[in-house]
Amino acid sequence: MSETVGSQRLAVRVAGRESGDVAAAARERADAPVVEAGSTGVPGVEPLLAASDGDETTFYANATPADAEAVADALAGDGALPDGDATVDTADAAALPLPDLDGFGAERSVLARCGWIAPTNPDAYADAVGFTDADPDAVVESAGGVLGRGWGDWSADEPVGPLWEGVRERDGSPAVVVNAHGNPGDALLGESDPFSVLEGAAHVARVVDAVQVFVYVSEDDEAARDALTAAADAYPDFPVDVSVVEGPAAYRAAEPTMAIEAVEGNHRLEARLRPPGPEVEGVFGEPTVVHTARTVAHVAAAVRGEPTDSRVLSVTGDADEATLELTADDALDTALDAAGVSDYTGVLVGGRFGGLTTDLDVTPTPDALDAADLGTDGVLEVLGPDACPVAFVGKRAQFAEDANCGRCVPCREGSKQLTELLRDVYEGSLDRPKIDELMRVMESSSVCAFGQHAPRPVRTGLQEFAEEFEAHAQGTCPAGQCLSDATGEEPARAKP
């Protein structure tokens, strides 16, 4: 049975990585199409079975093969659909109709097809939104104002148009790197809607007259790698050569110049000195554009004429992981409400080296986040109600010491000294002036964003939880969690 649905009245969709048995059970009994979709971004409810009958879709969370058989039998006319966990009017078959379940926000734009269409079937993508091949000037006009998303983007929080203009005006053989490494939102798009990523990359490649597109993924994100590879093979008339390249799972490997090092096949990844930046000397010395998967998906949406001011956010930490989307007017606490998180000590906003806060009445725009001293990498890491913020920032400093590339002194030695100064707090010494000066040097003189951002959890933690730091210096942990010191986090995974 085809994995496209089109205008058919009845359909079964199963979303999530562990959905094979559920989908197989449905196929054995159903006459309707059965679609294996990618993840919805809410793994806590997956496998998520969706049974569409006319204008209604009923959802079954954590579905089993028995659930699939019962649904298939009902759709075949043997009875009413079993009661589900949510039922939604299905007016638009091209996008996931959001169920009233924890983890789903109110609206989706670039995530609209995640968990709804067959990710690597070009016909499914064509039916949903269609492939476009707008000319370069039209792409610049419609998408040149899109802001780059994520710390792995060379245009992070800046309009992408000027970067494109700079690259296409240079001599050489330009390249495009799609950096899908290390962020849950980028991995989700690669896994569940790879054609939108590739379509955005194709637009950029035409604008800068690129000769090669590299899609860069973490070796840990196998689902994204496999989906992007299959989609690249199936993409109709991709304008240039396209390759999917793996890099090590280390967090730092997502940094734009280290992504280029990985694309070139270098085993030891170090941040490149700049200037010149990748737009001058990138992959194999050629001018190169580096964008995250989120950025190019927004570019594809802009070319289709869709709004592009939404932000993809992932809730992680002491909470069930969920990747969702907020508009530019939504406050960050909207995301936590949608994810079912109501009790927490604080939230690290903006990725591994984001800002620690308890005030989430902040919109997800770069200006608002910057004004609140928070990061923009689209990750909200929850510290549960029993977490100790002092231990948390100490572990984050230890991570910076363990995981930096070693290229520059301010980051390499600064993160080491910062960890030691935080350890001294447990010995009764809280030297704020010395900590502040060290962080200022790291932020102002480190080569790349890793070292420039590494002090932020500590700096914001000292501001937000000053009383807790003072209590620790006096030998007390208010949360009752600290038995010795604040070290010990293993930096094995790239994801925040």
Side-chain angles (χ1 to χ4, degrees), residues 18 267 327:
E18 306 298 327
H267 295 295
T327 70

Side-chain angles (χ1 to χ4, degrees), residues 354-417:
L356 187 58
T357 185
T358 58
D359 180 7
L360 296 177
D361 187 19
V362 180
T363 59
T365 64
D367 288 345
L369 293 168
D370 184 62
D373 202 7
L374 304 174
T376 60
D377 196 29
V379 177
L380 307 179
E381 186 174 353
V382 177
L383 278 66
D386 298 327
C388 172
V390 178
F392 177 82
V393 300
K395 290 176 182 176
R396 204 43 51 96
Q398 179 75 63
F399 172 80
E401 178 186 349
D402 293 341
N404 73 81
C405 76
R407 180 63 181 266
C408 70
V409 172
C411 180
R412 184 184 67 238
E413 297 302 319
S415 58
K416 179 180 179 181
Q417 293 175 28

Side-chain angles (χ1 to χ4, degrees), residues 336-337 340-344:
L336 264 65
D337 290 343
V341 179
S342 59
D343 193 11
Y344 49 85

Side-chain angles (χ1 to χ4, degrees), residues 210-232:
V211 300
Q212 178 80 50
V213 169
F214 299 96
V215 184
Y216 175 60
V217 299
S218 165
E219 63 186 5
D220 272 3
D221 291 328
E222 296 180 6
R225 177 202 61 198
D226 292 347
L228 285 162
T229 301

Side-chain angles (χ1 to χ4, degrees), residues 300-364:
V303 173
R304 290 195 295 268
E306 300 171 2
T308 61
D309 61 348
S310 64
R311 311 287 293 188
V312 174
L313 298 172
S314 298
V315 178
T316 68
D318 297 329
D320 290 335
E321 184 173 323
T323 295
L324 41 81
E325 208 164 338
L326 296 185
T327 70
D329 296 326
D330 290 327
L332 296 178
D333 52 12
T334 306
L336 264 65
D337 290 343
V341 179
S342 59
D343 193 11
Y344 49 85
T345 297
V347 178
L348 190 78
V349 177
R352 177 70 73 167
F353 297 134
L356 187 58
T357 185
T358 58
D359 180 7
L360 296 177
D361 187 19
V362 180
T363 59

Side-chain angles (χ1 to χ4, degrees), residues 15 235 246 308 349 436 441:
Y235 196 100
E246 282 187 337
T308 61
V349 177
D436 290 343
V441 172

Side-chain angles (χ1 to χ4, degrees), residues 48-61 71 75 80-91 96-101 104 116:
L48 181 65
L49 189 153
S52 298
D53 185 356
D55 292 334
E56 279 194 344
T57 295
T58 301
F59 289 88
Y60 304 85
V71 165
L75 289 178
L81 280 171
D83 291 339
D85 297 290
T87 298
V88 181
D89 287 339
T90 311
L96 173 69
L98 298 178
D100 185 16
L101 298 172
F104 293 93
W116 190 247

